[in-house]
């Protein structure tokens, strides 16, 4: 099977990880990404041992080390911390996933930095500016159709093209996309020395969610790299194009789409950061002074609205040469910080399955079926739980006998 070739639709976190894993295994692949390059799409990503171990499997040693060195410094508590709007701790819950590395744990990364690291060495593999429009099956081959009228042929097609996957919609049109009705205003707050000194320590724990009145919540996650990004990249991957990143606090203000706070915004999706900034200010106006200060000091140029959407889990589907990974098949709300980690897990497991099919002469469809079955067994419990409106239940964070805060 020396001519075996894998087509990957989508060059996000999962697609690039899969490409690196396949290259490491000596398997030919091409990634087709609609965006013109590695654009800014989100900020901080929580990482756990599930995602970190997948990166260790798929990346060359120098790029894996670069990921570790540009990860966030280890917080005093690597946990999910729930607080109220006055910065009073409600409780903590361990992050999902296997035991973390006790010496240098997986913490968090800057999303674009991770993508730039994973793109390193793949210049001849990734085709930017190539939206996919569908596919055709021809016996034991798959033809990927591209928006410019051209096509590409391979032995396997992997849908890594996210929540709105063109490939999934063609292959599994019965899976609906669900809009939760929540809107997230995601933004970065520059972490200057004076701001760091003024903020409560609890805001620098692993991942922090503040629950406020009127169904408003603020999610916080610090990004303070273990080593300056540019410095680490110059040493470990001098040929890679990796931008420097200053420390910041990621903040997500989550409100309902019907909230009065959005009443003055005619079109959320075309509003500028300067127009959205007052929404965040007003939403947290009576909160703890440290939280209102963060709302004041956010960088409006980084403020971006997002819909919180998900897919409905399906129990099974017919196995074929078209398969899926990450958000293309199990897009979930960010409730447990598992979206990126499970996408990386999928990529590593699929790379192993395809390596077995090409080197051990295992049956290709048998290996794909096993990969999909294992994915459902491992990821679906998190997938289903994240879709439950009770996923953030204060009682889950409290010791027995402690009353839940009523609002």
């Amino acid at each position: 099977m020396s001519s075996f070739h894998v087509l990957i639709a989508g060059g996000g976190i999962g697609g690039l990880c899969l490409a690196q894993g396949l290259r490491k295994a000596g398997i030919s692949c091409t990634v087709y990404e609609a965006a013109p390059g590695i654009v800014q799409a989100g900020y901080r990503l929580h990482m756990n041992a599930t995602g970190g171990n997948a990166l260790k499997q798929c990346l060359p040693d120098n790029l894996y080390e670069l990921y570790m060195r540009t990860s966030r410094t280890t917080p005093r508590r690597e946990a999910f911390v729930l607080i109220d709007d006055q910065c009073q701790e409600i409780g903590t819950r361990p992050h999902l996933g296997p035991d973390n590395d006790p010496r240098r744990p997986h913490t968090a990364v800057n999303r674009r930095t991770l993508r730039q690291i994973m793109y390193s060495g793949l210049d001849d593999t990734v085709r930017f500016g190539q939206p996919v429009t569908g596919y055709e099956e021809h016996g034991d081959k798959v033809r990927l159709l591209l928006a410019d009228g051209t096509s590409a042929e391979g032995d396997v097609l992997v849908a890594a093209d996210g929540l709105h996957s063109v490939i999934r919609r063609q292959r599994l049109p019965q899976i609906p996309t669900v809009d939760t009705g929540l809107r997230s205003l995601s933004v970065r707050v520059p972490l200057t020395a004076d701001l760091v000194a003024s903020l409560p320590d609890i805001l620098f724990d692993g991942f922090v969610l503040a629950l406020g009145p009127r169904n408003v919540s603020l999610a916080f996650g610090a990004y303070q790299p273990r080593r300056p990004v540019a410095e680490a990249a110059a040493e470990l991957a001098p040929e890679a194009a990796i931008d420097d990143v200053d420390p910041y606090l990621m903040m997500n203000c989550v409100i309902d789409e019907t909230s009065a706070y959005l009443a003055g915004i005619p079109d959320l999706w075309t509003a500028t950061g300067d127009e959205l900034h007052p929404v965040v200010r007003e939403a947290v106006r009576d909160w703890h002074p440290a939280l209102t200060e963060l709302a004041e000091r956010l960088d409006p140029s980084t403020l971006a609205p997002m819909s919180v959407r998900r897919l409905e889990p399906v129990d099974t589907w017919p196995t074929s040469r078209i398969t899926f990974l990450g958000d293309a098949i199990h897009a979930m709300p960010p409730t447990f910080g598992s979206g990126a980690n499970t996408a990386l897990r999928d990529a590593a497991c699929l790379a192993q399955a395809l390596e077995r099919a090409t080197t051990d002469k295992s049956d290709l469809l048998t290996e794909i079926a096993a990969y999909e079955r294992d994915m459902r067994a491992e990821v679906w419990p998190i997938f289903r739980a994240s879709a439950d409106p009770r996923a953030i239940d204060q009682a889950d964070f409290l010791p027995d006998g402690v009353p839940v805060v009523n609002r």
Side-chain angles (χ1 to χ4, degrees), residues 12-37:
I13 296 295
L16 291 177
C17 186
L18 175 61
Q20 288 282 4
L22 292 176
R23 169 166 288 200
K24 201 172 188 180
I27 298 174
S28 171
C29 67
T30 306
V31 179
Y32 298 89
E33 166 58 36

Side-chain angles (χ1 to χ4, degrees), residues 362-383:
S362 299
D363 179 70
L364 176 62
L365 292 185
T366 299
E367 291 292 349
I368 293 175
Y371 155 73
E372 293 175 342
R373 185 169 58 250
D374 290 347
M375 175 174 59
R376 289 189 291 266
E378 291 291 328
V379 178
W380 259 230
I382 305 170
F383 186 18

